[in-house]
Amino acid sequence: MIFLLLLVTAIIAYLCGAVNGSIITSRFLFRKDIRNYGSKNAGLTNFFRVFGVKGLAVMLAIDVLKSVAAVLIGGWLLGLKDQALIGKVFAGFCLVLGHIFPVFYNFRGGKGVLCAGIMILLADWRVGLCCWAIFIVVVAFSRYVSLGSVCAVAAAPLILLIFGDPKICALVVLFTVFFIIFRHTENIIRLCKGKERKLDLSKLHKSKKTEEIGS
């Protein structure tokens, strides 16, 4: 029974993850594919850098809703066997896999940070708040979104253990972290070389220039 519940959770969460808000919004709102512009990543940061604030709310709504749905469904299904927390983190792992390797978009997706952040917050709000705080502080001081993302997700398994959550949950989150850091390999290399692009918040009130998104 547990195996069947895990299987159903995996399928639902993966398919939810494969619904990419950045790709959907860029295609239907701008008639572009975000993966052809900027860093060519189908994620929040690249979407903002390429298109600016326009469409950002729609993109966020899609990715947040799919993440919440996947994690809550996983928690409910495994909760039938009193394993709701494990269900949430397992669903989060499959959600991130779907976001990174979406079957609907030739397995070219985003980096999964927002999905993982929502999963941690719903699994254990204390751990989630700590991870989001790390992200905000690192980005605020460095202005490197990638650095904040890597630091926040890397800290998650340890913080889970500190708060006394089951070791199996920390292990599942650790596997999630592995895939997210793998997707940040190029960012980490650029950070080491001092070539990583910093976040420019001055663009919150305006869109990117036309030539940056093509004709």
Side-chain angles (χ1 to χ4, degrees):
M1 183 63 175
I2 287 287
F3 175 78
L4 179 60
L5 291 174
L6 287 171
L7 179 61
V8 173
T9 296
I11 293 172
I12 293 175
Y14 173 82
L15 292 177
C16 284
V19 177
N20 188 289
S22 185
I23 297 175
I24 292 173
T25 306
S26 64
R27 284 183 174 178
F28 286 92
L29 192 60
F30 300 100
R31 297 296 186 268
K32 311 289 181 183
D33 188 332
I34 185 63
R35 295 172 298 175
N36 295 327
Y37 303 96
S39 65
K40 305 188 187 304
N41 173 60
L44 171 61
T45 303
N46 191 45
F47 185 95
F48 172 68
R49 284 173 173 164
V50 174
F51 298 113
V53 72
K54 185 178 180 182
L56 198 62
V58 177
M59 190 232 93
L60 279 171
I62 293 173
D63 281 354
V64 169
L65 288 175
K66 77 176 188 184
S67 300
V68 171
V71 174
L72 291 184
I73 289 173
W76 174 71
L77 286 173
L78 271 295
L80 298 174
K81 290 294 182 180
D82 297 320
Q83 300 293 336
L85 183 58
I86 293 177
K88 288 179 179 180
V89 295
F90 179 69
F93 169 70
C94 298
L95 169 77
V96 170
L97 284 184
H99 186 81
I100 295 176
F101 308 110
V103 66
F104 304 133
Y105 307 108
N106 299 317
F107 302 100
R108 289 179 56 213
K111 297 181 179 179
V113 177
L114 179 60
C115 296
I118 293 173
M119 176 265 284
I120 293 296
L121 195 59
L122 292 176
D124 188 326
W125 64 269
R126 302 166 302 173
V127 180
L129 289 180
C130 289
C131 291
W132 279 100
I134 291 172
F135 172 79
I136 292 171
V137 170
V138 173
V139 174
F141 280 93
S142 69
R143 289 196 293 127
Y144 289 121
V145 175
S146 56
L147 181 61
S149 300
V150 169
C151 289
V153 297
L158 178 59
I159 300 176
L160 277 166
L161 292 176
I162 290 175
F163 278 105
D165 288 309
K167 292 181 180 178
I168 184 63
C169 292
L171 182 61
V172 173
V173 172
L174 183 62
F175 280 113
T176 308
V177 171
F178 170 80
F179 281 99
I180 292 176
I181 292 181
F182 169 74
R183 285 290 284 119
H184 281 80
T185 300
E186 293 182 359
N187 302 88
I188 294 171
I189 293 174
R190 288 196 296 268
L191 281 168
C192 293
K193 293 181 177 180
K195 297 181 179 180
E196 178 72 334
R197 188 176 177 182
K198 292 186 176 182
L199 179 66
D200 185 0
L201 291 178
S202 67
K203 296 177 182 177
L204 273 171
H205 63 282
K206 58 185 178 180
S207 299
K208 293 285 284 180
K209 295 181 180 179
T210 305
E211 59 266 23
E212 290 186 56
I213 62 175
S215 57

